[in-house]
Amino acid sequence: MATSRPRVVVIGAGFAGMHCVRRLKNEPVDVTVVDRGTSHLFQPLLYQCATGLLSEGAISSPIRHLTRRHKNLDVVLGEASDIDVDARELTVDRIDGSSFHLSYDHLVVAAGMRTAYRGNEAFAAHAPGMKTLDDALSIRRKIMAAFEMAETITDPEEQRSWLTFAVAGGGPTGVELAGQIREVATLALEREFDAIDPAQARVLLLHGGDRVLPSFSPKLSASAQRTLDELGVETHLGVHVTGVGENFVETTRKADGDKQTYPARTTLWTTGVEAVPFATTLARALGAEQDRGGRIPVGPDLSVPGHPDVFVCGDMSSYRDLAGVAEVAMQGGRHAGAVIAETVAGQTDRSPFKYRDLGTAAYIARRHAIVQSGPLQLSGFLGWVAWGVIHIAFLAGVRNRMGTVMTWGATLLTDSRRERAITYGDPETARQPYGR
């Protein structure tokens, strides 16, 4: 690409990154997108991939395909590992371990977040989070394999441990996962096993707060709780997960320190997120102080104070306590792109970021979802319809939208879930005999 025009480097092809490059599509700049993967992932539906409802292809779209009509854009597969602020140069690592350098005039960092274990990194070996496609496929493998294992186990206690699923975290991701596992057990797997009744699967939702979905109003939270109860999800409030092993999960009650251990072969972690490692590298280089979650504070124009050429958008930025949700990332990415376009055009005054809250939504079970947008609060069937419309509207690509609608329709009619294949992570592991 020619270097005579201003060079814009965007790190991350999530919601913030993609909306930034869309805003710059017709501007007189050269844009380079750097991402450690090849696809834009629609994270709000990741749990449906993890529970066999949607395929990974239904919720991801190739970055190069989405940007194929951007004449001023280049796509790079790599991961930013270092930055020289004075030279305005990034170090980018390739998948083979080699690295190269990228120069920039304007930098937009939208690298997102990763699962946080809050000092309990050992939990990761037995309790995967859900931020990537790899996480979703790992969770799918654990869930589907648990039922298969229980089918051939003769000891009742061990069988029950395989049919016990613990979900740590009562936010939207945890609630959606817990509900989906119960739907898999009671609908998708009905009449498919001989030795076990999948509907007997026990799903534990473990949450430290006094109600699930605390970001929603108490009314909607109560509605979601009723639906979870009807599904058969066991909700345990006011507890922290303090131990996770191959075959157990331990909780500690906040009020009195009472400990409880549950035999459970499948534990899933959705209790929080933290900034990716590059955020620390960037903060040190810029002299910025990260918050508790590793986010980087930004000014009204979403640039880092003292560094007008560096913008941080999406979940990785800290601005006026805005939540780390998709709509904040989309609007933030667009705003950063607009500020860069205005600067290139010679405008010196920068417009402040004004977030327009379009609301939040969470899926609880089929025909039951909650939606909150200002004074508008929907639950039950109306909430479910609104939830579906919102998610289809924001899915990337017409093909993904059409395919998802068809899959949802087929699932409602047949109760089946076709995406239940178990993968092993890599060919070498897959070719090894069990137990080796």
Side-chain angles (χ1 to χ4, degrees), residues 206-230:
L206 312 171
H207 183 54
D210 58 0
R211 61 186 178 93
V212 297
L213 300 173
S215 61
F216 289 82
S217 71
K219 177 183 176 181
L220 291 180
S221 175
S223 174
Q225 185 64 70
R226 287 192 297 272
T227 303
L228 290 172
D229 293 341
E230 292 170 1

Side-chain angles (χ1 to χ4, degrees), residues 205-331:
L205 183 59
L206 312 171
H207 183 54
D210 58 0
R211 61 186 178 93
V212 297
L213 300 173
S215 61
F216 289 82
S217 71
K219 177 183 176 181
L220 291 180
S221 175
S223 174
Q225 185 64 70
R226 287 192 297 272
T227 303
L228 290 172
D229 293 341
E230 292 170 1
L231 275 175
V233 174
E234 299 179 31
T235 305
H236 298 263
L237 300 174
V239 298
H240 288 310
V241 175
T242 51
V244 179
E246 183 180 359
N247 58 0
F248 75 92
V249 59
E250 177 195 77
T251 64
T252 300
R253 189 173 300 281
K254 293 167 59 178
D256 54 17
D258 182 54
K259 294 184 181 295
Q260 178 73 43
T261 300
Y262 301 93
R265 290 280 185 168
T266 303
T267 300
L268 309 176
W269 195 267
T270 69
T271 63
V273 293
E274 63 185 9
V276 297
F278 182 69
T280 300
T281 301
L282 180 66
R284 288 173 179 168
L286 299 177
E289 184 175 348
Q290 297 171 272
D291 68 9
R292 183 171 174 237
R295 297 175 178 87
I296 297 176
V298 295
D301 62 350
L302 302 187
S303 69
V304 179
H307 300 274
D309 56 332
V310 180
F311 299 81
V312 181
C313 304
D315 296 354
M316 200 170 139
S317 69
S318 175
Y319 181 68
R320 294 186 177 177
D321 296 323
L322 290 177
V325 296
E327 189 55 42
V328 173
M330 292 178 190
Q331 293 184 33

Side-chain angles (χ1 to χ4, degrees), residues 121-145:
E121 299 305 317
F123 291 0
H126 304 293
M130 196 173 66
K131 291 295 290 181
T132 67
L133 281 177
D134 293 283
D135 291 335
L137 294 178
S138 174
I139 291 173
R140 182 199 298 177
R141 177 170 62 249
K142 290 178 71 72
I143 293 173
M144 299 307 171

